[in-house]
Amino acid sequence: MFESFYIYIMSDLLMALVTFLMGLYFYKSKGKAANLLSGYNRRSGEERKNFDEDSMCCCYGKRMMVMAIPFVAGAVIDVFWEGIGCALAWGVWIILFILLLVKRTKTEKLK
């Protein structure tokens, strides 16, 4: 039977993989992934000309790839303390996500 700590480890590693791959897609998209950003995709073409979509996607991609690290660390912690690593990983991820949204709000303000 599948032990519960395997579920924690697999969910941590799956979330790390998904987050890393999304970040890699943003990083390598050359600005095309900007359409996936909520709110930004509703701006007019004239408003979008004020932004460097390539550097914006590159920056967001790097941050998303870093956001995978807590889940890898959480999987390692779950080997020793079942469930603690998963909870810590989600807590750190939520903090990093909020920081990403704050940075995005600051950088996307129209000039």
Side-chain angles (χ1 to χ4, degrees), residues 2 4 10 14 17 19 26 31 40 50-51 56 62 68 70-71 77 79 87 97 100 102-103:
F2 218 55
S4 62
M10 294 305 290
L14 180 64
L17 181 67
T19 306
F26 267 82
Y40 185 78
N50 294 328
F51 299 102
M56 186 172 63
K62 287 178 189 177
F71 290 105
I77 294 170
V79 170
F97 185 71
L100 174 70
V102 168
K103 179 170 173 79

Side-chain angles (χ1 to χ4, degrees), residues 9 32 38 52 54 67 72 97 107 111:
I9 292 169
K32 294 177 184 169
S38 64
D52 182 7
D54 189 23
M67 290 169 71
V72 174
F97 185 71
T107 57
K111 300 171 186 174

